[in-house]
Amino acid sequence: MLDSRHLATFHEVVSAGTFSAAARALGCTQPAITQQMRALERSVGMPLFVRAGRRLRLTEAGEALARHTGLILGQLSAAEQQLGALARLHLGRVRICAFPSANATLVPAVIARLLAEHPGIRIELQEDEPPGSLRRVPRGDCDIALAFSYPGFQVGDAAELVEYPLMEDPVTALLPVGHPAARHSAVRLADLASERWIAGCPRCQANLLYACAEQGFAPDVVFATDDNLAVQNLVSVGAGVALMPALVLGFLRHDKVTARPVEPLTHRKIAAYALREHTHLPSIALVLDVLRDVARAHPGT
């Protein structure tokens, strides 16, 4: 195994032409240079220099090593600079996989802050609903997954992952403008038992069924779609009512739809997930911290 310190000294000896000149350039003694070159020759297994008067001449092995030494030292220097930049958060890549409403709200706020404060951090974005997003982390497809879960339901198989709670996202009732229940500041879920319902994504539909069962009725689900705009359009024309997380309404609100808090209050938990060993990497730790700050400042928290 070649010692990089010995290679650096060898490079200086080749440039200076003598051990004494290299010692002066490096600010050390000639015996120290001699000792390092002998150690390097032992590693190589053959002589690197022969005497030619007062100067040194490279052997064939020395010439071969000299051809590579500059490149090796240059690559080591570049590696040190890049690692230093990563440690100082001047460089880095973080891959985030999030569900659609997080990609439309939380993630852009995170990216805006990173662009302003750490422009060398590159964010790559993917989209998937849980539990699919969680499975991408152990596979190495992404570094951080944003996922949600409802009361009574597990987020998915997150045994290998560290959970970073971000926020609680209230679930609201969506009613067409003019609906009698919209006259109240909040809507009792049981008062909507006779309504037709429009369900969202599979997890949201499961939460709808669970929440209604807790209030003693089974909802009449006539439409189901994971398109939030389609849900609101269906509500706006009176095709039914729906439950929708407040995070969605933060970026998408139909002008013919009224949103009201639900009683009893229900919410979904939003959290970030990462592998434990990755949370010590500076760029990933930074993004997790910014995610917490952004979520804490969000109006729906």
Side-chain angles (χ1 to χ4, degrees):
M1 181 68 69
L2 299 179
D3 189 314
S4 61
R5 295 170 301 173
H6 295 165
L7 288 176
T9 302
F10 172 77
H11 185 68
E12 187 59 41
V13 170
V14 172
S15 299
T18 66
F19 285 0
S20 58
R24 287 193 297 272
L26 295 173
C28 60
T29 65
Q30 182 174 330
I33 299 292
T34 302
Q35 186 178 15
Q36 288 192 51
M37 292 303 92
R38 286 175 179 170
L40 181 59
E41 288 178 329
R42 286 195 297 270
S43 297
V44 173
M46 62 189 79
L48 298 173
F49 304 98
V50 293
R51 286 285 179 183
R54 294 185 177 182
R55 297 187 65 83
L56 298 172
R57 183 170 60 82
L58 292 172
T59 64
E60 187 176 357
E63 289 177 351
L65 183 59
R67 284 194 294 271
H68 294 284
T69 302
L71 178 60
I72 292 170
L73 294 175
Q75 290 176 334
L76 282 173
S77 177
E80 288 173 352
Q81 291 176 17
Q82 185 170 5
L83 291 172
L86 289 170
R88 295 188 300 273
L89 294 173
H90 293 164
L91 289 175
R93 180 187 70 155
V94 179
R95 299 163 299 165
I96 298 175
C97 182
F99 53 97
S101 55
N103 272 343
T105 53
L106 301 179
V107 174
V110 169
I111 292 174
R113 178 163 158 186
L114 291 173
L115 286 173
E117 299 177 6
H118 301 277
I121 301 295
R122 174 186 172 92
I123 299 296
E124 295 182 1
L125 191 56
Q126 305 168 22
E127 186 168 286
D128 199 356
E129 300 273 359
S133 56
L134 295 177
R135 289 195 288 263
R136 295 190 183 210
V137 181
R139 290 202 309 254
D141 296 337
C142 70
D143 304 303
I144 298 173
L146 294 184
F148 63 86
S149 61
Y150 287 101
F153 297 92
Q154 295 295 322
V155 69
D157 185 9
E160 302 176 74
L161 307 177
V162 180
E163 179 186 89
Y164 293 84
L166 297 178
M167 61 185 289
E168 291 186 349
D169 186 18
V171 175
T172 60
L174 289 190
L175 310 167
V177 169
H179 191 285
R183 295 195 298 265
H184 306 289
S185 59
V187 178
R188 292 179 66 249
L189 193 58
D191 291 342
L192 302 176
S194 62
E195 298 283 347
R196 299 195 305 174
W197 286 85
I198 299 147
C201 70
R203 282 180 168 257
C204 297
Q205 182 170 353
N207 176 66
L208 170 65
L209 298 176
Y210 176 82
C212 292
E214 289 284 290
Q215 298 304 305
F217 72 97
D220 177 18
V221 177
V222 291
F223 299 103
T225 173
D226 59 2
D227 185 328
N228 292 313
L229 180 58
V231 171
Q232 294 193 39
N233 279 330
L234 288 167
V235 171
S236 74
V237 298
V241 299
L243 294 182
M244 183 166 285
L247 196 64
V248 176
L249 300 176
F251 69 93
L252 182 65
R253 176 77 72 97
H254 198 293
D255 59 2
K256 294 183 179 180
V257 167
T258 300
R260 290 290 183 268
V262 176
E263 294 178 348
L265 181 66
T266 183
H267 63 271
R268 63 177 181 174
K269 180 180 72 174
I270 297 176
Y273 297 84
L275 290 170
R276 185 177 302 277
E277 56 268 30
H278 288 177
T279 60
H280 303 295
L281 297 174
S283 56
I284 292 178
L286 170 68
V287 172
L288 288 170
D289 286 342
V290 174
L291 272 167
R292 285 195 191 100
D293 290 346
V294 166
R296 193 180 300 121
H298 196 276
T301 303

